[in-house]
Amino acid sequence: SDSAKMSDDNNNKGSSKARRRAHRLACCVALGVLVILGALALAFYLRYRPRPPRVVATPVDVGIEEFRLLPHPALKLSVGVHVVVSNPSNAPFRYGAALSAVTYHGAPVGETLVPAGEVGGGATARVEPATVVDGVKVAESPHFASDAVAGVLPFVAVARVVGKALVLRAFEVPVSVEVVCLVRIYVFHRESSSRCVATVRTGSGAGSGSGAGFPEGAGRAQEHD
């Protein structure tokens, strides 16, 4: 009976050791799987994480077709802004149509419509908004006569590009680009000068939609003369 009891004790000890070995092996396997999954997730994040686009704005189509003060003030002109968007991310950036204003001394005198489009991952695209300025409204402004005599008409042209960066075609990160150009038109010389500031916002503060990426309200401003 004593030998049988010793045999049972040895069997129990061997079984306990085997269970501990199996448990340690399972823990090692689970830890290895977690490490591999973490490395894969990090690799995917580093490769596909959205980065803020780089923006360069250039005022174009700035010109005067007609200008006079007498016998009645009259003005026909064009003020437009083109925006070059470089997307450094591997994920595409898609944006919808957006409407913004052209103002003269703070009063709206025109509109800028940015058509919907897409900038592919690692690509650069030029966004060409359609801009319409109402010269009649400008000529009717109480500031027009004094500005015209001084020879300088100040305008503010705004272009907005609002869209989402698609990460692995499953997650969306809102991205908003706002370009504000201060344009001065010299009516007697038929010339113009400009200064543009581009601001990029990402995260939930950039617009509607879901997703995670840059902190809410994060932004970057760029100036161009």
Side-chain angles (χ1 to χ4, degrees), residues 145-167:
S146 59
D147 287 345
V149 171
V152 182
L153 303 179
F155 293 89
V156 177
V158 179
R160 292 186 178 91
V161 181
V162 182
K164 297 176 181 178
L166 306 180
V167 183

mmCIF file with all atom_site columns, all heavy atoms in Angstrom, residues 145-167:
data_model
loop_
_atom_site.group_PDB
_atom_site.id
_atom_site.type_symbol
_atom_site.label_atom_id
_atom_site.label_alt_id
_atom_site.label_comp_id
_atom_site.label_asym_id
_atom_site.label_entity_id
_atom_site.label_seq_id
_atom_site.pdbx_PDB_ins_code
_atom_site.Cartn_x
_atom_site.Cartn_y
_atom_site.Cartn_z
_atom_site.occupancy
_atom_site.B_iso_or_equiv
_atom_site.pdbx_formal_charge
_atom_site.auth_seq_id
_atom_site.auth_comp_id
_atom_site.auth_asym_id
_atom_site.auth_atom_id
_atom_site.pdbx_PDB_model_num
ATOM 1   N N   . ALA A 1 145 ? -15.209 104.806 -53.889 1.00 0.00 ? 145 ALA A N   1
ATOM 2   C CA  . ALA A 1 145 ? -14.706 106.069 -54.441 1.00 0.00 ? 145 ALA A CA  1
ATOM 3   C C   . ALA A 1 145 ? -13.350 106.431 -53.844 1.00 0.00 ? 145 ALA A C   1
ATOM 4   O O   . ALA A 1 145 ? -12.400 106.761 -54.572 1.00 0.00 ? 145 ALA A O   1
ATOM 5   C CB  . ALA A 1 145 ? -15.721 107.189 -54.205 1.00 0.00 ? 145 ALA A CB  1
ATOM 6   N N   . SER A 1 146 ? -13.236 106.360 -52.512 1.00 0.00 ? 146 SER A N   1
ATOM 7   C CA  . SER A 1 146 ? -11.969 106.725 -51.872 1.00 0.00 ? 146 SER A CA  1
ATOM 8   C C   . SER A 1 146 ? -10.863 105.733 -52.230 1.00 0.00 ? 146 SER A C   1
ATOM 9   O O   . SER A 1 146 ? -9.708  106.131 -52.461 1.00 0.00 ? 146 SER A O   1
ATOM 10  C CB  . SER A 1 146 ? -12.148 106.806 -50.361 1.00 0.00 ? 146 SER A CB  1
ATOM 11  O OG  . SER A 1 146 ? -12.603 105.558 -49.838 1.00 0.00 ? 146 SER A OG  1
ATOM 12  N N   . ASP A 1 147 ? -11.195 104.446 -52.312 1.00 0.00 ? 147 ASP A N   1
ATOM 13  C CA  . ASP A 1 147 ? -10.190 103.445 -52.694 1.00 0.00 ? 147 ASP A CA  1
ATOM 14  C C   . ASP A 1 147 ? -9.749  103.662 -54.139 1.00 0.00 ? 147 ASP A C   1
ATOM 15  O O   . ASP A 1 147 ? -8.562  103.527 -54.456 1.00 0.00 ? 147 ASP A O   1
ATOM 16  C CB  . ASP A 1 147 ? -10.755 102.033 -52.531 1.00 0.00 ? 147 ASP A CB  1
ATOM 17  C CG  . ASP A 1 147 ? -10.866 101.619 -51.078 1.00 0.00 ? 147 ASP A CG  1
ATOM 18  O OD1 . ASP A 1 147 ? -10.252 102.285 -50.222 1.00 0.00 ? 147 ASP A OD1 1
ATOM 19  O OD2 . ASP A 1 147 ? -11.567 100.626 -50.794 1.00 0.00 ? 147 ASP A OD2 1
ATOM 20  N N   . ALA A 1 148 ? -10.726 103.962 -55.010 1.00 0.00 ? 148 ALA A N   1
ATOM 21  C CA  . ALA A 1 148 ? -10.400 104.155 -56.417 1.00 0.00 ? 148 ALA A CA  1
ATOM 22  C C   . ALA A 1 148 ? -9.500  105.373 -56.603 1.00 0.00 ? 148 ALA A C   1
ATOM 23  O O   . ALA A 1 148 ? -8.544  105.341 -57.393 1.00 0.00 ? 148 ALA A O   1
ATOM 24  C CB  . ALA A 1 148 ? -11.684 104.305 -57.237 1.00 0.00 ? 148 ALA A CB  1
ATOM 25  N N   . VAL A 1 149 ? -9.778  106.456 -55.881 1.00 0.00 ? 149 VAL A N   1
ATOM 26  C CA  . VAL A 1 149 ? -8.921  107.644 -55.967 1.00 0.00 ? 149 VAL A CA  1
ATOM 27  C C   . VAL A 1 149 ? -7.516  107.316 -55.468 1.00 0.00 ? 149 VAL A C   1
ATOM 28  O O   . VAL A 1 149 ? -6.513  107.763 -56.047 1.00 0.00 ? 149 VAL A O   1
ATOM 29  C CB  . VAL A 1 149 ? -9.534  108.809 -55.162 1.00 0.00 ? 149 VAL A CB  1
ATOM 30  C CG1 . VAL A 1 149 ? -8.547  109.966 -55.061 1.00 0.00 ? 149 VAL A CG1 1
ATOM 31  C CG2 . VAL A 1 149 ? -10.835 109.279 -55.810 1.00 0.00 ? 149 VAL A CG2 1
ATOM 32  N N   . ALA A 1 150 ? -7.443  106.519 -54.409 1.00 0.00 ? 150 ALA A N   1
ATOM 33  C CA  . ALA A 1 150 ? -6.135  106.102 -53.890 1.00 0.00 ? 150 ALA A CA  1
ATOM 34  C C   . ALA A 1 150 ? -5.463  105.103 -54.815 1.00 0.00 ? 150 ALA A C   1
ATOM 35  O O   . ALA A 1 150 ? -4.246  104.901 -54.740 1.00 0.00 ? 150 ALA A O   1
ATOM 36  C CB  . ALA A 1 150 ? -6.291  105.509 -52.501 1.00 0.00 ? 150 ALA A CB  1
ATOM 37  N N   . GLY A 1 151 ? -6.260  104.459 -55.675 1.00 0.00 ? 151 GLY A N   1
ATOM 38  C CA  . GLY A 1 151 ? -5.709  103.524 -56.659 1.00 0.00 ? 151 GLY A CA  1
ATOM 39  C C   . GLY A 1 151 ? -5.573  102.096 -56.190 1.00 0.00 ? 151 GLY A C   1
ATOM 40  O O   . GLY A 1 151 ? -4.992  101.262 -56.899 1.00 0.00 ? 151 GLY A O   1
ATOM 41  N N   . VAL A 1 152 ? -6.128  101.758 -55.027 1.00 0.00 ? 152 VAL A N   1
ATOM 42  C CA  . VAL A 1 152 ? -5.980  100.404 -54.482 1.00 0.00 ? 152 VAL A CA  1
ATOM 43  C C   . VAL A 1 152 ? -7.332  99.886  -54.003 1.00 0.00 ? 152 VAL A C   1
ATOM 44  O O   . VAL A 1 152 ? -8.011  100.544 -53.204 1.00 0.00 ? 152 VAL A O   1
ATOM 45  C CB  . VAL A 1 152 ? -4.982  100.365 -53.310 1.00 0.00 ? 152 VAL A CB  1
ATOM 46  C CG1 . VAL A 1 152 ? -4.821  98.932  -52.811 1.00 0.00 ? 152 VAL A CG1 1
ATOM 47  C CG2 . VAL A 1 152 ? -3.641  100.941 -53.719 1.00 0.00 ? 152 VAL A CG2 1
ATOM 48  N N   . LEU A 1 153 ? -7.705  98.691  -54.473 1.00 0.00 ? 153 LEU A N   1
ATOM 49  C CA  . LEU A 1 153 ? -8.930  98.034  -54.020 1.00 0.00 ? 153 LEU A CA  1
ATOM 50  C C   . LEU A 1 153 ? -8.535  96.779  -53.237 1.00 0.00 ? 153 LEU A C   1
ATOM 51  O O   . LEU A 1 153 ? -7.923  95.874  -53.798 1.00 0.00 ? 153 LEU A O   1
ATOM 52  C CB  . LEU A 1 153 ? -9.823  97.647  -55.205 1.00 0.00 ? 153 LEU A CB  1
ATOM 53  C CG  . LEU A 1 153 ? -10.259 98.773  -56.144 1.00 0.00 ? 153 LEU A CG  1
ATOM 54  C CD1 . LEU A 1 153 ? -11.111 98.201  -57.275 1.00 0.00 ? 153 LEU A CD1 1
ATOM 55  C CD2 . LEU A 1 153 ? -11.043 99.843  -55.386 1.00 0.00 ? 153 LEU A CD2 1
ATOM 56  N N   . PRO A 1 154 ? -8.894  96.700  -51.939 1.00 0.00 ? 154 PRO A N   1
ATOM 57  C CA  . PRO A 1 154 ? -8.522  95.536  -51.135 1.00 0.00 ? 154 PRO A CA  1
ATOM 58  C C   . PRO A 1 154 ? -9.629  94.481  -51.106 1.00 0.00 ? 154 PRO A C   1
ATOM 59  O O   . PRO A 1 154 ? -10.794 94.794  -50.837 1.00 0.00 ? 154 PRO A O   1
ATOM 60  C CB  . PRO A 1 154 ? -8.301  96.136  -49.739 1.00 0.00 ? 154 PRO A CB  1
ATOM 61  C CG  . PRO A 1 154 ? -9.268  97.280  -49.692 1.00 0.00 ? 154 PRO A CG  1
ATOM 62  C CD  . PRO A 1 154 ? -9.417  97.808  -51.104 1.00 0.00 ? 154 PRO A CD  1
ATOM 63  N N   . PHE A 1 155 ? -9.258  93.237  -51.365 1.00 0.00 ? 155 PHE A N   1
ATOM 64  C CA  . PHE A 1 155 ? -10.211 92.128  -51.326 1.00 0.00 ? 155 PHE A CA  1
ATOM 65  C C   . PHE A 1 155 ? -9.653  91.015  -50.440 1.00 0.00 ? 155 PHE A C   1
ATOM 66  O O   . PHE A 1 155 ? -8.441  90.889  -50.254 1.00 0.00 ? 155 PHE A O   1
ATOM 67  C CB  . PHE A 1 155 ? -10.476 91.565  -52.721 1.00 0.00 ? 155 PHE A CB  1
ATOM 68  C CG  . PHE A 1 155 ? -11.190 92.502  -53.653 1.00 0.00 ? 155 PHE A CG  1
ATOM 69  C CD1 . PHE A 1 155 ? -10.467 93.380  -54.441 1.00 0.00 ? 155 PHE A CD1 1
ATOM 70  C CD2 . PHE A 1 155 ? -12.572 92.513  -53.722 1.00 0.00 ? 155 PHE A CD2 1
ATOM 71  C CE1 . PHE A 1 155 ? -11.108 94.256  -55.297 1.00 0.00 ? 155 PHE A CE1 1
ATOM 72  C CE2 . PHE A 1 155 ? -13.231 93.391  -54.577 1.00 0.00 ? 155 PHE A CE2 1
ATOM 73  C CZ  . PHE A 1 155 ? -12.500 94.265  -55.372 1.00 0.00 ? 155 PHE A CZ  1
ATOM 74  N N   . VAL A 1 156 ? -10.581 90.221  -49.921 1.00 0.00 ? 156 VAL A N   1
ATOM 75  C CA  . VAL A 1 156 ? -10.206 89.004  -49.200 1.00 0.00 ? 156 VAL A CA  1
ATOM 76  C C   . VAL A 1 156 ? -10.901 87.832  -49.896 1.00 0.00 ? 156 VAL A C   1
ATOM 77  O O   . VAL A 1 156 ? -12.135 87.782  -49.947 1.00 0.00 ? 156 VAL A O   1
ATOM 78  C CB  . VAL A 1 156 ? -10.615 89.056  -47.718 1.00 0.00 ? 156 VAL A CB  1
ATOM 79  C CG1 . VAL A 1 156 ? -10.269 87.729  -47.032 1.00 0.00 ? 156 VAL A CG1 1
ATOM 80  C CG2 . VAL A 1 156 ? -9.922  90.203  -47.008 1.00 0.00 ? 156 VAL A CG2 1
ATOM 81  N N   . ALA A 1 157 ? -10.111 86.925  -50.445 1.00 0.00 ? 157 ALA A N   1
ATOM 82  C CA  . ALA A 1 157 ? -10.652 85.742  -51.118 1.00 0.00 ? 157 ALA A CA  1
ATOM 83  C C   . ALA A 1 157 ? -10.357 84.514  -50.257 1.00 0.00 ? 157 ALA A C   1
ATOM 84  O O   . ALA A 1 157 ? -9.213  84.288  -49.845 1.00 0.00 ? 157 ALA A O   1
ATOM 85  C CB  . ALA A 1 157 ? -10.024 85.573  -52.503 1.00 0.00 ? 157 ALA A CB  1
ATOM 86  N N   . VAL A 1 158 ? -11.396 83.738  -49.977 1.00 0.00 ? 158 VAL A N   1
ATOM 87  C CA  . VAL A 1 158 ? -11.274 82.557  -49.122 1.00 0.00 ? 158 VAL A CA  1
ATOM 88  C C   . VAL A 1 158 ? -11.616 81.311  -49.935 1.00 0.00 ? 158 VAL A C   1
ATOM 89  O O   . VAL A 1 158 ? -12.594 81.297  -50.688 1.00 0.00 ? 158 VAL A O   1
ATOM 90  C CB  . VAL A 1 158 ? -12.204 82.658  -47.893 1.00 0.00 ? 158 VAL A CB  1
ATOM 91  C CG1 . VAL A 1 158 ? -12.077 81.406  -47.021 1.00 0.00 ? 158 VAL A CG1 1
ATOM 92  C CG2 . VAL A 1 158 ? -11.879 83.902  -47.080 1.00 0.00 ? 158 VAL A CG2 1
ATOM 93  N N   . ALA A 1 159 ? -10.799 80.283  -49.782 1.00 0.00 ? 159 ALA A N   1
ATOM 94  C CA  . ALA A 1 159 ? -11.076 78.984  -50.412 1.00 0.00 ? 159 ALA A CA  1
ATOM 95  C C   . ALA A 1 159 ? -10.969 77.906  -49.345 1.00 0.00 ? 159 ALA A C   1
ATOM 96  O O   . ALA A 1 159 ? -9.998  77.874  -48.583 1.00 0.00 ? 159 ALA A O   1
ATOM 97  C CB  . ALA A 1 159 ? -10.093 78.705  -51.543 1.00 0.00 ? 159 ALA A CB  1
ATOM 98  N N   . ARG A 1 160 ? -11.964 77.039  -49.272 1.00 0.00 ? 160 ARG A N   1
ATOM 99  C CA  . ARG A 1 160 ? -11.970 75.960  -48.280 1.00 0.00 ? 160 ARG A CA  1
ATOM 100 C C   . ARG A 1 160 ? -11.997 74.605  -48.976 1.00 0.00 ? 160 ARG A C   1
ATOM 101 O O   . ARG A 1 160 ? -12.757 74.407  -49.925 1.00 0.00 ? 160 ARG A O   1
ATOM 102 C CB  . ARG A 1 160 ? -13.172 76.086  -47.339 1.00 0.00 ? 160 ARG A CB  1
ATOM 103 C CG  . ARG A 1 160 ? -13.107 77.294  -46.427 1.00 0.00 ? 160 ARG A CG  1
ATOM 104 C CD  . ARG A 1 160 ? -14.246 77.288  -45.413 1.00 0.00 ? 160 ARG A CD  1
ATOM 105 N NE  . ARG A 1 160 ? -14.160 78.426  -44.503 1.00 0.00 ? 160 ARG A NE  1
ATOM 106 C CZ  . ARG A 1 160 ? -14.738 79.584  -44.720 1.00 0.00 ? 160 ARG A CZ  1
ATOM 107 N NH1 . ARG A 1 160 ? -15.447 79.767  -45.823 1.00 0.00 ? 160 ARG A NH1 1
ATOM 108 N NH2 . ARG A 1 160 ? -14.615 80.578  -43.864 1.00 0.00 ? 160 ARG A NH2 1
ATOM 109 N N   . VAL A 1 161 ? -11.175 73.707  -48.475 1.00 0.00 ? 161 VAL A N   1
ATOM 110 C CA  . VAL A 1 161 ? -11.149 72.320  -48.950 1.00 0.00 ? 161 VAL A CA  1
ATOM 111 C C   . VAL A 1 161 ? -11.429 71.446  -47.735 1.00 0.00 ? 161 VAL A C   1
ATOM 112 O O   . VAL A 1 161 ? -10.593 71.320  -46.836 1.00 0.00 ? 161 VAL A O   1
ATOM 113 C CB  . VAL A 1 161 ? -9.792  71.958  -49.580 1.00 0.00 ? 161 VAL A CB  1
ATOM 114 C CG1 . VAL A 1 161 ? -9.805  70.529  -50.092 1.00 0.00 ? 161 VAL A CG1 1
ATOM 115 C CG2 . VAL A 1 161 ? -9.445  72.930  -50.702 1.00 0.00 ? 161 VAL A CG2 1
ATOM 116 N N   . VAL A 1 162 ? -12.617 70.868  -47.670 1.00 0.00 ? 162 VAL A N   1
ATOM 117 C CA  . VAL A 1 162 ? -13.057 70.102  -46.506 1.00 0.00 ? 162 VAL A CA  1
ATOM 118 C C   . VAL A 1 162 ? -13.293 68.658  -46.927 1.00 0.00 ? 162 VAL A C   1
ATOM 119 O O   . VAL A 1 162 ? -14.094 68.390  -47.827 1.00 0.00 ? 162 VAL A O   1
ATOM 120 C CB  . VAL A 1 162 ? -14.346 70.701  -45.900 1.00 0.00 ? 162 VAL A CB  1
ATOM 121 C CG1 . VAL A 1 162 ? -14.767 69.911  -44.667 1.00 0.00 ? 162 VAL A CG1 1
ATOM 122 C CG2 . VAL A 1 162 ? -14.135 72.163  -45.544 1.00 0.00 ? 162 VAL A CG2 1
ATOM 123 N N   . GLY A 1 163 ? -12.582 67.741  -46.285 1.00 0.00 ? 163 GLY A N   1
ATOM 124 C CA  . GLY A 1 163 ? -12.742 66.341  -46.660 1.00 0.00 ? 163 GLY A CA  1
ATOM 125 C C   . GLY A 1 163 ? -12.285 65.397  -45.578 1.00 0.00 ? 163 GLY A C   1
ATOM 126 O O   . GLY A 1 163 ? -12.228 65.752  -44.393 1.00 0.00 ? 163 GLY A O   1
ATOM 127 N N   . LYS A 1 164 ? -11.929 64.165  -45.999 1.00 0.00 ? 164 LYS A N   1
ATOM 128 C CA  . LYS A 1 164 ? -11.526 63.130  -45.056 1.00 0.00 ? 164 LYS A CA  1
ATOM 129 C C   . LYS A 1 164 ? -10.377 62.325  -45.639 1.00 0.00 ? 164 LYS A C   1
ATOM 130 O O   . LYS A 1 164 ? -10.365 62.024  -46.837 1.00 0.00 ? 164 LYS A O   1
ATOM 131 C CB  . LYS A 1 164 ? -12.699 62.189  -44.750 1.00 0.00 ? 164 LYS A CB  1
ATOM 132 C CG  . LYS A 1 164 ? -13.878 62.862  -44.064 1.00 0.00 ? 164 LYS A CG  1
ATOM 133 C CD  . LYS A 1 164 ? -15.027 61.904  -43.874 1.00 0.00 ? 164 LYS A CD  1
ATOM 134 C CE  . LYS A 1 164 ? -16.208 62.602  -43.199 1.00 0.00 ? 164 LYS A CE  1
ATOM 135 N NZ  . LYS A 1 164 ? -17.367 61.682  -43.041 1.00 0.00 ? 164 LYS A NZ  1
ATOM 136 N N   . ALA A 1 165 ? -9.437  61.980  -44.761 1.00 0.00 ? 165 ALA A N   1
ATOM 137 C CA  . ALA A 1 165 ? -8.376  61.053  -45.132 1.00 0.00 ? 165 ALA A CA  1
ATOM 138 C C   . ALA A 1 165 ? -8.854  59.643  -44.791 1.00 0.00 ? 165 ALA A C   1
ATOM 139 O O   . ALA A 1 165 ? -9.345  59.398  -43.690 1.00 0.00 ? 165 ALA A O   1
ATOM 140 C CB  . ALA A 1 165 ? -7.098  61.376  -44.366 1.00 0.00 ? 165 ALA A CB  1
ATOM 141 N N   . LEU A 1 166 ? -8.755  58.737  -45.758 1.00 0.00 ? 166 LEU A N   1
ATOM 142 C CA  . LEU A 1 166 ? -9.221  57.369  -45.568 1.00 0.00 ? 166 LEU A CA  1
ATOM 143 C C   . LEU A 1 166 ? -8.038  56.486  -45.184 1.00 0.00 ? 166 LEU A C   1
ATOM 144 O O   . LEU A 1 166 ? -7.075  56.368  -45.939 1.00 0.00 ? 166 LEU A O   1
ATOM 145 C CB  . LEU A 1 166 ? -9.875  56.849  -46.840 1.00 0.00 ? 166 LEU A CB  1
ATOM 146 C CG  . LEU A 1 166 ? -11.007 57.722  -47.417 1.00 0.00 ? 166 LEU A CG  1
ATOM 147 C CD1 . LEU A 1 166 ? -11.567 57.090  -48.672 1.00 0.00 ? 166 LEU A CD1 1
ATOM 148 C CD2 . LEU A 1 166 ? -12.100 57.917  -46.390 1.00 0.00 ? 166 LEU A CD2 1
ATOM 149 N N   . VAL A 1 167 ? -8.124  55.846  -44.017 1.00 0.00 ? 167 VAL A N   1
ATOM 150 C CA  . VAL A 1 167 ? -7.055  54.990  -43.528 1.00 0.00 ? 167 VAL A CA  1
ATOM 151 C C   . VAL A 1 167 ? -7.490  53.543  -43.685 1.00 0.00 ? 167 VAL A C   1
ATOM 152 O O   . VAL A 1 167 ? -8.466  53.107  -43.066 1.00 0.00 ? 167 VAL A O   1
ATOM 153 C CB  . VAL A 1 167 ? -6.730  55.298  -42.057 1.00 0.00 ? 167 VAL A CB  1
ATOM 154 C CG1 . VAL A 1 167 ? -5.568  54.441  -41.579 1.00 0.00 ? 167 VAL A CG1 1
ATOM 155 C CG2 . VAL A 1 167 ? -6.414  56.765  -41.889 1.00 0.00 ? 167 VAL A CG2 1
#
